[in-house]
Amino acid sequence: MNIGIYIYDNAEVLDFSGPFEVLSTAKRLAGHDWNIFLIAEKLALVQARGGFPIQPHFCFDAHPDIDVLIVVGGVHTEEVKKTNVIAWVANVADKSERVLSVCTGAFILAEAGLLDGLTVTTHWQDIDDLKADYPKLKVIDNQRWVSQGKYITSGGISAGIDMSLHLVSELTTFSLAEKTAKQMEYHWQKYPYSECK
């Protein structure tokens, strides 16, 4: 299984490192043949939030087929304006078994027309903007993640870890997701509803 995580300049660090840690830990514990990698528009150093430099494994022009696509959040406002990014996301999503967003990654999926008519969420601070910018979406808050068929969206930053553990439970077993959380010494919020806002 090929799991691709899309990153870009000013992407939130935990948005991609959290899911990467969850999935690579689950892979190690279960001995799964998962290929987990980071993809950027170009094969060049990406400057994530706070000036965190990260080297992607692949770029748009050359990457393996993607079974699971994860689109992360951060300062997304320039990303949604890039027609090549939106076209790439739409094309990959069409061929993928599952498509997920962390935080404001939902804006990129929405811009690609992938979330129309679906119930979705994002970072609490961006809920109103997502509603205003994409009125075809049913945007809800107070949720760690929302699962809608092949699409799963999560709240901000650390919520992507909870969503990724949920993904592990869907791809394999609930037991492996629990073992993964324990290995990470992470208190997994196993159910999407949250009192936090």
Side-chain angles (χ1 to χ4, degrees):
M1 178 178 293
N2 290 327
I3 303 173
I5 303 174
Y6 175 55
I7 60 171
Y8 49 88
D9 285 339
N10 286 310
E12 194 70 54
V13 175
L14 198 58
D15 280 19
F16 60 84
S17 59
F20 192 97
E21 179 70 20
V22 168
L23 294 163
S24 59
T25 299
K27 170 186 174 177
R28 185 175 76 248
L29 291 175
H32 287 310
D33 186 22
W34 291 355
N35 183 21
I36 307 152
F37 49 86
L38 303 173
I39 304 177
E41 187 178 353
K42 299 175 182 176
L43 197 60
L45 206 62
V46 170
Q47 296 292 332
R49 287 296 285 271
F52 188 94
I54 187 78
Q55 178 66 48
H57 299 96
F58 300 102
C59 64
F60 286 0
D61 292 336
H63 61 79
D65 291 338
I66 297 173
D67 301 301
V68 177
L69 174 65
I70 301 174
V71 177
V72 305
V75 183
H76 65 280
T77 47
E78 291 305 311
E79 293 305 299
V80 296
K81 297 175 186 175
K82 296 179 180 177
T83 55
N84 63 318
V85 168
I86 300 307
W88 179 84
V89 168
N91 182 56
V92 171
D94 184 58
K95 300 171 185 174
S96 299
E97 295 174 17
R98 284 180 172 80
V99 180
L100 300 85
S101 67
V102 182
C103 194
T104 55
F107 284 79
I108 297 172
L109 296 186
E111 184 65 25
L114 300 170
L115 302 179
D116 290 356
L118 300 183
T119 301
V120 301
T121 195
T122 188
H123 191 288
W124 63 267
Q125 201 169 20
D126 299 282
I127 290 287
D128 290 341
D129 286 344
L130 190 61
K131 287 179 180 177
D133 293 350
Y134 304 98
K136 292 181 180 179
L137 279 55
K138 182 181 178 184
V139 183
I140 60 174
D141 61 4
N142 216 26
Q143 296 280 121
R144 295 293 280 177
W145 74 88
V146 179
S147 183
Q148 294 273 277
K150 73 181 274 183
Y151 295 96
I152 309 176
T153 56
S154 83
I157 312 176
S158 68
I161 297 175
D162 293 312
M163 178 186 70
S164 298
L165 287 162
H166 172 73
L167 175 64
V168 169
S169 76
E170 286 194 343
L171 295 176
T172 60
T173 65
F174 195 82
S175 175
L176 177 59
E178 289 184 313
K179 289 176 184 175
T180 301
K182 183 177 181 180
Q183 181 67 27
M184 293 173 59
E185 297 208 49
Y186 180 76
H187 179 69
W188 178 26
Q189 297 189 44
K190 299 180 177 117
Y191 304 100
Y193 180 78
S194 173
E195 293 292 346
C196 302
K197 186 174 179 183

